Amino acid sequence: MATKLPESEFDARLAQVRGRLADTDADAATWFGATGIEYLTGFHHIQTERPVVLAVTDERVEITVPRLEVERVEPNPRIDAVHHYFDYPGGAPIEVAVEMLEGLGVEAVVSDADGAPGVMGYEGPALSEFVDVESQSWTSRMRWEKTDAEVDLIRESAKWANLGHRYLAEYTEVGAHPATVSQRASTEASRAMLDTLGDRYSVRVRGSGPVHAGYISGRETALPHGHTPNETLSEGDVLVTGASANVDGYHSELERTMFVGDYTDEQEHYFELMLEAQTIAIEALGPGVPISDVDQTVWNYFEEQGVTDLAQHHVGHNIGLGGHEPPYIDRGWGEYEHVDDGEALMAPGQVYTIEPGIYTEDAGYRHSDTIAVTESGTEWLTYFPRDIDSNVV
């Protein structure tokens, strides 16, 4: 079982960005985004008002962090030097990062942003006030196609997500509260995962387990991003579930539409429409397929069935270190201004969630499965049953 990304992955990533850096006039590449920094170095942190700045030159990797991250980052074998400021705002983080760049002899950079993102009240100066800055989105683009090692981690995530989902189905009953059922299923699956993996588990969470399984119920399911209602489950309730597991930072996505007790003819009708839409989308996937065509094919089906007014989002998205990553399976993808020639087509290594949904005034109907595009076709990574009778609890 794959539980940790090999060190060779980071070597390859750094070599790739250094190759791109060599094709520019810049002296260094910099990153402010937490996911890009994690992707290149394996150092993962929570993005707060305290900026973290990574600099990569042709020979060095250095980083600026707040004081509270020093001990966490210093053991990282890929980072040659750690610079720090005490805190924000008193620590002047960008100025410390500029001192780091000056020490590297840097006068111009290509950067994922012109300064730290304005989260949690951060308001800092632009990096371009101190050095020449050109933009780059290298790591965001590199993450589109996963290596075999990355797909292995997502496959492992899907395995534990499946267990969490099974606990979710097992503990669901009339009179239960969806919040406590979700917590119980997540805890039991996390305990099983931690007990099984032991010291092979790569620590990635704070105060919670690596598996999350939960659902929304009742009328909240009619909202694609509905909240858990404060009401116990009743006979006839529709549930829209979700389960995933964190495996060295990588995630899968498993969702099902389930029923508490018998379903009505109307509920079966909408469930089967949704299920057919998902089947159509999955069968359309493959290397070289125009990404927008998959969403258009599902939309055509919805038009044939007269239910386009019940659709509220596109078919799906890439997944990996981020819960949502491009490419997006969207009818507008081929015309998206950030898509270059060739990037409008599906490619091996891309891993997609496939989740077309239908939403009536009373309930929502959505499955999501995680599917990898391979050299010859596709591979299903999630595998909880999809048929209606297997989803009655």
PDB file of all heavy atoms in Angstrom, residues 38-57:
ATOM      1  N   GLU A  38       4.115  23.149  -0.713  1.00  0.00           N
ATOM      2  CA  GLU A  38       4.030  21.737  -0.320  1.00  0.00           C
ATOM      3  C   GLU A  38       4.392  20.823  -1.480  1.00  0.00           C
ATOM      4  O   GLU A  38       5.113  19.829  -1.311  1.00  0.00           O
ATOM      5  CB  GLU A  38       2.613  21.438   0.169  1.00  0.00           C
ATOM      6  CG  GLU A  38       2.367  19.987   0.531  1.00  0.00           C
ATOM      7  CD  GLU A  38       0.936  19.741   0.968  1.00  0.00           C
ATOM      8  OE1 GLU A  38       0.104  20.682   0.917  1.00  0.00           O
ATOM      9  OE2 GLU A  38       0.642  18.601   1.358  1.00  0.00           O
ATOM     10  N   TYR A  39       3.907  21.149  -2.654  1.00  0.00           N
ATOM     11  CA  TYR A  39       4.144  20.312  -3.827  1.00  0.00           C
ATOM     12  C   TYR A  39       5.631  20.207  -4.151  1.00  0.00           C
ATOM     13  O   TYR A  39       6.121  19.142  -4.528  1.00  0.00           O
ATOM     14  CB  TYR A  39       3.380  20.904  -5.013  1.00  0.00           C
ATOM     15  CG  TYR A  39       3.477  20.123  -6.300  1.00  0.00           C
ATOM     16  CD1 TYR A  39       2.730  18.966  -6.492  1.00  0.00           C
ATOM     17  CD2 TYR A  39       4.288  20.565  -7.342  1.00  0.00           C
ATOM     18  CE1 TYR A  39       2.799  18.254  -7.682  1.00  0.00           C
ATOM     19  CE2 TYR A  39       4.364  19.859  -8.534  1.00  0.00           C
ATOM     20  CZ  TYR A  39       3.615  18.707  -8.697  1.00  0.00           C
ATOM     21  OH  TYR A  39       3.690  18.012  -9.879  1.00  0.00           O
ATOM     22  N   LEU A  40       6.366  21.292  -3.989  1.00  0.00           N
ATOM     23  CA  LEU A  40       7.783  21.300  -4.347  1.00  0.00           C
ATOM     24  C   LEU A  40       8.693  20.764  -3.258  1.00  0.00           C
ATOM     25  O   LEU A  40       9.740  20.174  -3.555  1.00  0.00           O
ATOM     26  CB  LEU A  40       8.218  22.724  -4.695  1.00  0.00           C
ATOM     27  CG  LEU A  40       7.742  23.282  -6.032  1.00  0.00           C
ATOM     28  CD1 LEU A  40       8.186  24.716  -6.192  1.00  0.00           C
ATOM     29  CD2 LEU A  40       8.250  22.429  -7.195  1.00  0.00           C
ATOM     30  N   THR A  41       8.311  20.960  -2.000  1.00  0.00           N
ATOM     31  CA  THR A  41       9.237  20.640  -0.912  1.00  0.00           C
ATOM     32  C   THR A  41       8.731  19.595   0.070  1.00  0.00           C
ATOM     33  O   THR A  41       9.515  19.025   0.833  1.00  0.00           O
ATOM     34  CB  THR A  41       9.561  21.907  -0.095  1.00  0.00           C
ATOM     35  OG1 THR A  41       8.390  22.340   0.609  1.00  0.00           O
ATOM     36  CG2 THR A  41      10.072  23.016  -1.006  1.00  0.00           C
ATOM     37  N   GLY A  42       7.416  19.371   0.105  1.00  0.00           N
ATOM     38  CA  GLY A  42       6.841  18.492   1.116  1.00  0.00           C
ATOM     39  C   GLY A  42       6.561  19.198   2.423  1.00  0.00           C
ATOM     40  O   GLY A  42       6.015  18.588   3.349  1.00  0.00           O
ATOM     41  N   PHE A  43       6.921  20.494   2.537  1.00  0.00           N
ATOM     42  CA  PHE A  43       6.600  21.252   3.749  1.00  0.00           C
ATOM     43  C   PHE A  43       5.166  21.740   3.654  1.00  0.00           C
ATOM     44  O   PHE A  43       4.832  22.555   2.800  1.00  0.00           O
ATOM     45  CB  PHE A  43       7.552  22.438   3.917  1.00  0.00           C
ATOM     46  CG  PHE A  43       7.137  23.398   5.006  1.00  0.00           C
ATOM     47  CD1 PHE A  43       6.972  22.960   6.310  1.00  0.00           C
ATOM     48  CD2 PHE A  43       6.873  24.732   4.717  1.00  0.00           C
ATOM     49  CE1 PHE A  43       6.564  23.836   7.312  1.00  0.00           C
ATOM     50  CE2 PHE A  43       6.478  25.621   5.705  1.00  0.00           C
ATOM     51  CZ  PHE A  43       6.326  25.167   7.011  1.00  0.00           C
ATOM     52  N   HIS A  44       4.305  21.227   4.522  1.00  0.00           N
ATOM     53  CA  HIS A  44       2.895  21.617   4.487  1.00  0.00           C
ATOM     54  C   HIS A  44       2.575  22.460   5.712  1.00  0.00           C
ATOM     55  O   HIS A  44       3.007  22.165   6.832  1.00  0.00           O
ATOM     56  CB  HIS A  44       1.982  20.393   4.413  1.00  0.00           C
ATOM     57  CG  HIS A  44       2.280  19.324   5.425  1.00  0.00           C
ATOM     58  ND1 HIS A  44       1.628  19.210   6.620  1.00  0.00           N
ATOM     59  CD2 HIS A  44       3.184  18.321   5.388  1.00  0.00           C
ATOM     60  CE1 HIS A  44       2.096  18.181   7.297  1.00  0.00           C
ATOM     61  NE2 HIS A  44       3.034  17.612   6.578  1.00  0.00           N
ATOM     62  N   HIS A  45       1.837  23.535   5.489  1.00  0.00           N
ATOM     63  CA  HIS A  45       1.473  24.429   6.570  1.00  0.00           C
ATOM     64  C   HIS A  45       0.093  25.005   6.294  1.00  0.00           C
ATOM     65  O   HIS A  45      -0.423  24.918   5.174  1.00  0.00           O
ATOM     66  CB  HIS A  45       2.494  25.572   6.699  1.00  0.00           C
ATOM     67  CG  HIS A  45       2.482  26.535   5.545  1.00  0.00           C
ATOM     68  ND1 HIS A  45       3.030  26.227   4.318  1.00  0.00           N
ATOM     69  CD2 HIS A  45       1.976  27.805   5.441  1.00  0.00           C
ATOM     70  CE1 HIS A  45       2.877  27.266   3.505  1.00  0.00           C
ATOM     71  NE2 HIS A  45       2.232  28.221   4.149  1.00  0.00           N
ATOM     72  N   ILE A  46      -0.490  25.584   7.318  1.00  0.00           N
ATOM     73  CA  ILE A  46      -1.792  26.230   7.181  1.00  0.00           C
ATOM     74  C   ILE A  46      -1.569  27.676   6.771  1.00  0.00           C
ATOM     75  O   ILE A  46      -0.829  28.411   7.430  1.00  0.00           O
ATOM     76  CB  ILE A  46      -2.570  26.165   8.501  1.00  0.00           C
ATOM     77  CG1 ILE A  46      -2.811  24.705   8.902  1.00  0.00           C
ATOM     78  CG2 ILE A  46      -3.891  26.913   8.390  1.00  0.00           C
ATOM     79  CD1 ILE A  46      -3.387  24.547  10.286  1.00  0.00           C
ATOM     80  N   GLN A  47      -2.191  28.068   5.673  1.00  0.00           N
ATOM     81  CA  GLN A  47      -2.032  29.436   5.189  1.00  0.00           C
ATOM     82  C   GLN A  47      -2.833  30.377   6.071  1.00  0.00           C
ATOM     83  O   GLN A  47      -4.064  30.292   6.167  1.00  0.00           O
ATOM     84  CB  GLN A  47      -2.524  29.549   3.741  1.00  0.00           C
ATOM     85  CG  GLN A  47      -2.102  30.827   3.054  1.00  0.00           C
ATOM     86  CD  GLN A  47      -1.374  30.551   1.753  1.00  0.00           C
ATOM     87  OE1 GLN A  47      -1.723  29.653   1.014  1.00  0.00           O
ATOM     88  NE2 GLN A  47      -0.342  31.311   1.481  1.00  0.00           N
ATOM     89  N   THR A  48      -2.133  31.268   6.762  1.00  0.00           N
ATOM     90  CA  THR A  48      -2.783  32.230   7.654  1.00  0.00           C
ATOM     91  C   THR A  48      -2.336  33.640   7.264  1.00  0.00           C
ATOM     92  O   THR A  48      -1.844  33.866   6.158  1.00  0.00           O
ATOM     93  CB  THR A  48      -2.406  31.956   9.128  1.00  0.00           C
ATOM     94  OG1 THR A  48      -1.029  32.282   9.341  1.00  0.00           O
ATOM     95  CG2 THR A  48      -2.657  30.509   9.505  1.00  0.00           C
ATOM     96  N   GLU A  49      -2.469  34.573   8.226  1.00  0.00           N
ATOM     97  CA  GLU A  49      -2.000  35.933   7.976  1.00  0.00           C
ATOM     98  C   GLU A  49      -0.485  36.027   8.005  1.00  0.00           C
ATOM     99  O   GLU A  49       0.083  37.090   7.713  1.00  0.00           O
ATOM    100  CB  GLU A  49      -2.604  36.891   9.017  1.00  0.00           C
ATOM    101  CG  GLU A  49      -1.977  36.855  10.409  1.00  0.00           C
ATOM    102  CD  GLU A  49      -2.427  35.675  11.251  1.00  0.00           C
ATOM    103  OE1 GLU A  49      -3.206  34.826  10.768  1.00  0.00           O
ATOM    104  OE2 GLU A  49      -1.999  35.612  12.432  1.00  0.00           O
ATOM    105  N   ARG A  50       0.185  34.921   8.323  1.00  0.00           N
ATOM    106  CA  ARG A  50       1.649  34.894   8.406  1.00  0.00           C
ATOM    107  C   ARG A  50       2.206  34.338   7.093  1.00  0.00           C
ATOM    108  O   ARG A  50       2.175  33.124   6.867  1.00  0.00           O
ATOM    109  CB  ARG A  50       2.098  34.019   9.562  1.00  0.00           C
ATOM    110  CG  ARG A  50       1.504  34.407  10.909  1.00  0.00           C
ATOM    111  CD  ARG A  50       1.902  33.385  11.961  1.00  0.00           C
ATOM    112  NE  ARG A  50       1.456  33.792  13.284  1.00  0.00           N
ATOM    113  CZ  ARG A  50       0.379  33.284  13.898  1.00  0.00           C
ATOM    114  NH1 ARG A  50      -0.368  32.377  13.269  1.00  0.00           N
ATOM    115  NH2 ARG A  50       0.055  33.680  15.108  1.00  0.00           N
ATOM    116  N   PRO A  51       2.749  35.146   6.216  1.00  0.00           N
ATOM    117  CA  PRO A  51       3.213  34.657   4.920  1.00  0.00           C
ATOM    118  C   PRO A  51       4.380  33.677   5.032  1.00  0.00           C
ATOM    119  O   PRO A  51       5.225  33.770   5.931  1.00  0.00           O
ATOM    120  CB  PRO A  51       3.660  35.933   4.196  1.00  0.00           C
ATOM    121  CG  PRO A  51       2.942  37.045   4.886  1.00  0.00           C
ATOM    122  CD  PRO A  51       2.833  36.613   6.311  1.00  0.00           C
ATOM    123  N   VAL A  52       4.403  32.733   4.117  1.00  0.00           N
ATOM    124  CA  VAL A  52       5.544  31.845   3.889  1.00  0.00           C
ATOM    125  C   VAL A  52       5.976  32.066   2.447  1.00  0.00           C
ATOM    126  O   VAL A  52       5.141  32.111   1.538  1.00  0.00           O
ATOM    127  CB  VAL A  52       5.174  30.375   4.135  1.00  0.00           C
ATOM    128  CG1 VAL A  52       6.310  29.446   3.709  1.00  0.00           C
ATOM    129  CG2 VAL A  52       4.827  30.148   5.603  1.00  0.00           C
ATOM    130  N   VAL A  53       7.269  32.221   2.226  1.00  0.00           N
ATOM    131  CA  VAL A  53       7.790  32.518   0.897  1.00  0.00           C
ATOM    132  C   VAL A  53       8.903  31.521   0.564  1.00  0.00           C
ATOM    133  O   VAL A  53       9.893  31.437   1.295  1.00  0.00           O
ATOM    134  CB  VAL A  53       8.342  33.951   0.790  1.00  0.00           C
ATOM    135  CG1 VAL A  53       8.673  34.288  -0.664  1.00  0.00           C
ATOM    136  CG2 VAL A  53       7.365  34.963   1.382  1.00  0.00           C
ATOM    137  N   LEU A  54       8.720  30.796  -0.529  1.00  0.00           N
ATOM    138  CA  LEU A  54       9.722  29.835  -0.991  1.00  0.00           C
ATOM    139  C   LEU A  54      10.461  30.422  -2.182  1.00  0.00           C
ATOM    140  O   LEU A  54       9.844  30.985  -3.092  1.00  0.00           O
ATOM    141  CB  LEU A  54       9.055  28.521  -1.399  1.00  0.00           C
ATOM    142  CG  LEU A  54      10.000  27.426  -1.911  1.00  0.00           C
ATOM    143  CD1 LEU A  54      10.785  26.810  -0.764  1.00  0.00           C
ATOM    144  CD2 LEU A  54       9.221  26.350  -2.671  1.00  0.00           C
ATOM    145  N   ALA A  55      11.797  30.293  -2.173  1.00  0.00           N
ATOM    146  CA  ALA A  55      12.616  30.745  -3.297  1.00  0.00           C
ATOM    147  C   ALA A  55      13.437  29.577  -3.822  1.00  0.00           C
ATOM    148  O   ALA A  55      14.082  28.861  -3.045  1.00  0.00           O
ATOM    149  CB  ALA A  55      13.541  31.880  -2.865  1.00  0.00           C
ATOM    150  N   VAL A  56      13.410  29.398  -5.140  1.00  0.00           N
ATOM    151  CA  VAL A  56      14.193  28.347  -5.799  1.00  0.00           C
ATOM    152  C   VAL A  56      15.099  29.001  -6.834  1.00  0.00           C
ATOM    153  O   VAL A  56      14.617  29.714  -7.722  1.00  0.00           O
ATOM    154  CB  VAL A  56      13.282  27.302  -6.479  1.00  0.00           C
ATOM    155  CG1 VAL A  56      14.115  26.256  -7.211  1.00  0.00           C
ATOM    156  CG2 VAL A  56      12.366  26.633  -5.455  1.00  0.00           C
ATOM    157  N   THR A  57      16.402  28.771  -6.709  1.00  0.00           N
ATOM    158  CA  THR A  57      17.352  29.212  -7.724  1.00  0.00           C
ATOM    159  C   THR A  57      17.918  27.978  -8.410  1.00  0.00           C
ATOM    160  O   THR A  57      17.499  26.850  -8.131  1.00  0.00           O
ATOM    161  CB  THR A  57      18.499  30.033  -7.104  1.00  0.00           C
ATOM    162  OG1 THR A  57      19.342  29.159  -6.335  1.00  0.00           O
ATOM    163  CG2 THR A  57      17.961  31.147  -6.216  1.00  0.00           C
TER     164      THR A  57
END
